[in-house]
Amino acid sequence: MAGPIRCPVDLTDGQALVRDNVREICADFDDEYWREKDREAEYPTEFVDALAEHGWMGILLPEEYGGAGMGTEETVVMMEEIAASGGGFAASQAVHGGVYNSVPIVEYADEAMKEDLLPDVAAGEISIQAFGLTEPNAGSDSTSIETFAERDGDEYVVNGGKIWTSRLDHSDYLVLVARTTPREEVEKRTRGISMFLVDVQEALDRGELEMEAIPKTASEAVHAFQIWFDDMRVPADHLIGEEGEGFYQVLDGLNEERLVIAAECIGLGEAALGRGVEYARQREVFGRQIGKNQAIQHPLAEAYMHLQAAKQLTYDAARRAGDAPREQVGVLANTAKYLAAEAAFDAADAAVQTHGGFGVAREYDVERFFREARLTRLVPITQQLALNFVAETELNLPRSY
């Protein structure tokens, strides 16, 4: 099948090295592999293991813990390459949590936890793929979470539940966000929230954690769960960072993560666009290539332009993320995510339309890319919330939420 249409962008030597190494790994997993994973709703264990064996799950971990010691500039390349390879958004999401859920431990955990966990994460021997934040009654309003962790001697006792917790079935640990002080007892609603590290199998074995998969139609290979905690006991030394400061720990690094999500959207769009362009070159109707028709050319060309613009912004923002003020990076990150998700959707839509009736045939892959592209407009933040942030922060309009 056709390869992706790659929008050109200047790379540093380090970024080029990441691109070449990750592309080589991805080449071992062909289109049929990803079709089967989607069709069977099966996690791409072999693919994730291959990345882990080459050290890429530790791309953001410091070298002293066995990681690669890289940053956002390199991670956007890695995740775009994974999505563009044909695995799409599902492939990048299969490893996204494993890359990013260790960051709070690097930034906030005590040295004992870091030394105990991070070398094994970097080596691919331990996975921290799951992050528990979203709740049915809270949604995007994270300060309204109701899951509560009450201190009891050397432990916390946790009760409540989460939804849309991805990859829990392939994660040794869950990074859990819970209230430790009731909302009505804190001066600011962002206070009184804490972050914990939960041993998943231990909690399951004790019957303190229950999980139920959520059937869905996009990125089916990466499972999402609704989970419940019933007097789940977490050792006090599994508190990540300072009690009551968990909300701010969640926010820290959020902008960089959204830039990486933007890169994943761009890779997905490049994969879809490549399929559409190749089909337009090959398919003949009424004695001529359909790619000669402007009705086919223009949507594909427009999708390319939008992907190119979103990619340039994303890579530029990734370079600036370490030095620019947080609010400025926030505007860039939300803008990049918004534009990249729209560009991915337009590219996938154009690819489906180019294929005509075959656009919904699984063998051509574009219907899978289209389903995933629709999902990118919802996660990890909706397009509307990204617009809200930019309107309030950059345009100085009144807060709308």
Side-chain angles (χ1 to χ4, degrees):
M1 295 294 287
I5 296 290
R6 299 183 186 278
C7 300
V9 67
D10 291 335
L11 299 179
T12 65
D13 290 343
Q15 287 176 315
L17 179 65
V18 172
R19 178 200 61 195
D20 294 344
N21 277 266
V22 173
R23 186 177 295 181
E24 185 177 347
I25 296 169
C26 291
D28 291 333
F29 300 87
D30 61 12
D31 295 330
E32 184 52 40
Y33 175 83
W34 293 111
R35 289 183 202 126
E36 180 182 356
K37 295 304 178 184
D38 180 72
R39 185 171 56 246
E40 302 298 328
E42 183 178 291
Y43 186 75
T45 302
E46 304 86 356
F47 175 71
V48 177
D49 286 349
L51 286 170
E53 287 168 10
H54 287 80
W56 290 111
M57 300 306 285
I59 185 171
L60 291 175
L61 297 181
E63 294 182 40
E64 60 261 38
Y65 301 110
M70 296 182 181
T72 305
E73 286 188 66
E74 293 80 19
T75 310
V76 293
V77 177
M78 171 184 170
M79 301 307 272
E80 181 201 342
E81 192 62 42
I82 288 171
S85 73
F89 198 61
S92 58
Q93 286 295 295
V95 301
H96 183 101
V99 168
Y100 268 93
N101 292 339
S102 299
V103 173
I105 296 173
V106 173
E107 297 295 329
Y108 299 106
D110 60 34
E111 194 58 35
M113 183 182 290
K114 292 178 186 179
E115 292 179 355
D116 184 47
L117 284 177
L118 295 182
D120 287 337
V121 173
E125 297 174 3
I126 284 179
S127 65
I128 309 178
Q129 288 273 21
F131 188 82
L133 174 62
T134 306
E135 296 186 5
N137 295 329
S140 298
D141 182 8
S142 301
T143 62
S144 294
I145 61 172
E146 298 170 344
T147 296
F148 198 83
E150 183 176 3
R151 184 69 181 257
D152 180 25
D154 293 333
E155 296 177 312
Y156 285 87
V157 181
V158 182
N159 286 283
K162 300 288 180 179
I163 199 167
W164 298 116
T165 303
S166 298
R167 302 169 296 267
L168 188 64
D169 53 337
H170 290 275
S171 187
D172 294 306
Y173 289 95
L174 162 71
V175 175
L176 174 66
V177 182
R179 276 213 165 269
T180 44
T181 304
R183 183 171 173 174
E184 59 272 14
E185 295 181 15
V186 293
E187 295 180 4
K188 294 179 62 178
R189 60 183 181 174
T190 53
R191 300 288 182 184
I193 295 173
S194 303
M195 188 180 288
F196 300 90
L197 187 70
V198 176
D199 186 315
V200 174
Q201 193 58 55
E202 189 175 276
L204 287 170
D205 290 344
R206 293 198 305 245
E208 300 169 350
L209 169 63
E210 293 184 23
M211 52 192 284
E212 182 177 310
I214 302 172
K216 53 192 178 78
T217 58
S219 294
E220 292 179 277
V222 180
H223 309 142
F225 296 88
Q226 183 164 6
I227 59 178
W228 297 270
F229 312 109
D230 182 13
D231 287 340
M232 182 177 70
R233 293 192 167 268
V234 179
D237 61 7
H238 279 209
L239 174 71
I240 300 173
E242 190 175 338
E243 182 178 304
E245 297 297 312
F247 181 80
Y248 302 99
Q249 295 171 192
V250 171
L251 290 181
D252 192 27
L254 195 62
N255 292 326
E256 287 83 354
E257 188 172 1
R258 285 182 186 164
L259 288 172
V260 172
I261 291 286
E264 295 171 20
C265 294
I266 292 162
L268 171 61
E270 290 174 326
L273 185 62
R275 305 303 169 88
V277 168
E278 183 65 17
Y279 191 81
R281 290 170 179 159
Q282 293 180 352
R283 176 69 167 164
E284 292 188 4
V285 178
F286 299 118
R288 55 187 272 149
Q289 294 170 297
I290 64 172
K292 286 186 176 182
N293 301 318
Q294 290 181 351
I296 297 294
Q297 287 184 359
H298 287 182
L300 294 171
E302 187 176 7
Y304 173 81
M305 293 175 183
H306 290 164
L307 283 169
Q308 178 67 70
K311 183 170 181 175
Q312 194 67 54
L313 174 67
T314 300
Y315 275 63
D316 179 62
R319 291 189 179 99
R320 298 165 61 185
D323 299 321
R326 176 179 288 183
E327 281 198 350
Q328 184 180 353
V329 177
V331 170
L332 289 170
N334 280 280
T335 302
K337 189 274 168 183
Y338 178 92
L339 293 178
E342 292 298 304
F345 182 83
D346 290 345
D349 186 49
V352 169
Q353 196 69 21
T354 299
H355 281 72
F358 287 113
V360 295
R362 287 184 180 270
E363 65 178 295
Y364 288 90
D365 298 312
V366 291
E367 61 83 29
R368 169 166 58 91
F369 296 150
F370 181 80
R371 286 185 279 120
E372 294 181 353
R374 186 61 184 87
L375 177 62
T376 68
R377 297 165 91 184
L378 297 171
V379 297
I381 181 176
T382 66
Q383 300 295 78
Q384 290 73 26
L385 279 174
L387 292 169
N388 288 345
F389 181 87
V390 172
E392 178 190 351
T393 305
E394 190 69 8
L395 304 182
N396 296 316
L397 292 172
R399 186 180 178 91
S400 61
Y401 58 98

